[in-house]
Amino acid sequence: MSPSPQPWVGHRILPLVVIDEPKTVLPVIDALGQGGLSIIEIALRTPAALRAIEMAADHGGMTVAAGTVTTVEQVRNAIDAGASFGLAPSSVLPVMEASQSAHWPFIPGIATVSEAHSAHGKGFGFQKVYPADLLGAEKFARSIYHTLPEINLLPSGGVTQSTMETYLREPNVFGVSGSWIAPRDLVAAGDFGEIARRAREASEAVESLG
């Protein structure tokens, strides 16, 4: 079966997770699932990240994304590890072209209207706004909507439980990405119960939006 061209569709929250020990990824997945989430974004920020992606993909029942993809080599490695799609904090042309050549679903990052317009012209209708909190939050998303309403945005950077709902009310925001549900310190401490609680709280908030 060929991968979905947009595996992120239907997921309003993409929990970003930084993994230092590969063995912790499975209890994190279980905690997210208990909270009603079926997707995980594993950031390529540690030596353990690719192994964690492999383990998460083998686990099944969870859409697994590779986050913080910044090089062509990382595109190849993430694909080999089994990631369903990738996300980047930037819109670097070689990285975008590598994902397209591999037919790997990809969400580049943008921080200006010019970057959004350019990435859309290269075929990327779904884009990550980063760092969203420093760019004006929902006001930035609104400005993109007024000029380029066909672009679908994923705010990331400083997103919290309290700001999530504000973002998701914008017509061009399809989801949010953030680390508040499974932050690095909770993962390291093995506090998977708290991660499950935060996932449940976020899921219920999304459901209340309709």
Side-chain angles (χ1 to χ4, degrees), residues 9-10 21 44 58 61 69 73 77 79 88 92 101 114-115 122 140 145 150 182 189 192 195 199:
V9 170
E21 295 289 340
L44 298 182
D58 289 342
V69 179
E73 182 182 17
N77 290 342
I79 292 172
V92 178
S101 295
S114 294
E115 289 175 345
K122 294 177 175 63
F140 181 83
Y145 182 70
E150 65 276 18
F192 305 113
I195 292 173

Side-chain angles (χ1 to χ4, degrees), residues 36-210:
L37 300 179
S38 57
I39 190 168
I40 183 171
E41 175 186 351
I42 299 174
L44 298 182
R45 300 179 189 173
T46 68
L50 288 171
R51 177 56 183 151
I53 289 173
E54 290 177 353
M55 294 174 67
D58 289 342
H59 182 272
M62 183 80 54
T63 298
V64 181
T68 322
V69 179
T70 59
T71 68
V72 171
E73 182 182 17
Q74 286 180 330
V75 170
R76 300 191 188 108
N77 290 342
I79 292 172
D80 290 343
S84 296
F85 68 99
L87 306 96
S90 57
S91 50
V92 178
L93 185 57
V95 176
M96 293 192 293
E97 290 179 339
S99 70
Q100 288 178 319
S101 295
H103 303 287
W104 190 50
F106 191 70
I107 301 177
I110 59 98
T112 67
V113 175
S114 294
E115 289 175 345
H117 198 179
S118 178
H120 186 259
K122 294 177 175 63
F124 295 91
F126 290 81
Q127 301 173 7
K128 173 178 174 176
V129 178
Y130 181 82
D133 57 339
L134 301 183
L135 294 171
E138 74 277 2
K139 294 178 182 178
F140 181 83
R142 208 168 297 150
S143 70
I144 296 290
Y145 182 70
H146 290 324
T147 55
L148 299 163
E150 65 276 18
I151 295 176
N152 301 280
L153 300 177
L154 178 78
S156 179
V159 178
T160 65
Q161 177 69 30
S162 60
T163 62
M164 172 192 74
E165 295 181 47
T166 303
Y167 282 122
L168 292 177
R169 289 191 180 96
E170 296 300 319
N172 58 335
V173 171
F174 72 91
V176 296
S177 166
S179 60
W180 84 94
I181 294 175
R184 198 171 188 172
D185 58 341
L186 287 185
V187 175
D191 195 348
F192 305 113
E194 174 61 14
I195 292 173
R197 187 198 67 78
R198 294 186 183 196
R200 191 176 308 108
E201 182 182 34
S203 296
E204 290 173 352
V206 169
E207 289 176 6
S208 70
L209 293 174

